[in-house]
Amino acid sequence: MPAKAIVITGPESTGKTTLTTQLAAHFQSPWLPEYARGYIDNLNKPYAESDLLEIAKGQVAAEKEAIKKAANVIFLDTSLEVIKIWSEVKYGHCHPWILQQVEKRKHHLYLLCQPDIPWQPDPQRENPNDRDQLFNLYLHELTKQNTNFVTISGSKNIRFTNAINYVESYIHIS
């Protein structure tokens, strides 16, 4: 039986990577970094719309491999919904392959991080002013896709405590 994949998702600078690494350490489980970050770091130029398809393909391949190797639970620092939403916001549409993958690749649980913590600048972050609007797009997408998700909010410590509780209750009931 494949490992349960738990996705930590949401707009930029909402503590996804921090929460992902905390949960992985707490549950002594592996975690998968966001594929886009490494891809963009190695580009040597600004990314283009065509790069989003390559990022999506890399994300899918990395997820498949990581889930196959994990024992019980694996934490994913984002998934394809991030690429879909960003593509639609930045370019007004999304590649059909990405849309198909979003439809067919449902993970076990999604923790949707609210943008209620301060923005942290980062060379790859582009949108400090529309995080609430982007959060609503994530909320809509996860609802439309009929995913199993909960929202995570509050300070770093409260987020972590609540996320542990959600994951523990999910693991016990599934």
Side-chain angles (χ1 to χ4, degrees), residues 36-48 51-52 55:
R37 192 163 278 284
Y39 181 94
I40 292 170
D41 279 346
N42 292 314
L43 261 184
N44 299 322
K45 65 176 181 74
Y47 75 90
D51 289 311
L52 296 182
I55 290 168

Side-chain angles (χ1 to χ4, degrees), residues 76-89:
L76 307 179
D77 182 359
T78 75
S79 193
L80 289 184
E81 71 286 343
V82 172
I83 299 166
K84 176 189 182 292
I85 289 168
W86 189 246
S87 181
E88 291 171 347
V89 166

Side-chain angles (χ1 to χ4, degrees), residues 99-171:
L99 296 174
Q100 290 169 348
Q101 294 300 308
V102 168
E103 285 283 328
K104 78 180 205 180
R105 295 185 58 75
K106 302 281 192 292
H107 296 297
H108 294 90
L109 177 65
Y110 292 75
L111 304 179
L112 174 58
C113 296
Q114 289 190 323
D116 59 350
I117 59 175
W119 170 266
Q120 297 294 319
D122 177 305
Q124 290 191 18
R125 294 184 179 149
E126 299 180 40
N127 210 343
N129 300 319
D130 296 330
R131 293 189 306 153
D132 288 328
Q133 179 186 355
L134 289 168
F135 175 81
N136 288 331
L137 294 175
Y138 280 89
L139 189 61
H140 175 77
E141 182 65 29
L142 294 175
T143 301
K144 182 179 92 175
Q145 294 295 329
N146 198 29
T147 59
N148 183 21
F149 78 93
V150 293
T151 58
I152 301 292
S153 62
S155 70
K156 182 178 172 182
N157 292 338
I158 290 172
R159 285 169 181 260
F160 182 47
T161 300
N162 288 341
I164 288 170
N165 292 334
Y166 289 130
V167 170
E168 285 178 345
S169 68
Y170 173 75
I171 289 172

Side-chain angles (χ1 to χ4, degrees), residues 12-24:
E12 295 175 319
S13 192
T14 55
K16 297 181 297 290
T17 301
T18 298
L19 186 56
T20 303
T21 58
Q22 288 176 317
L23 289 169

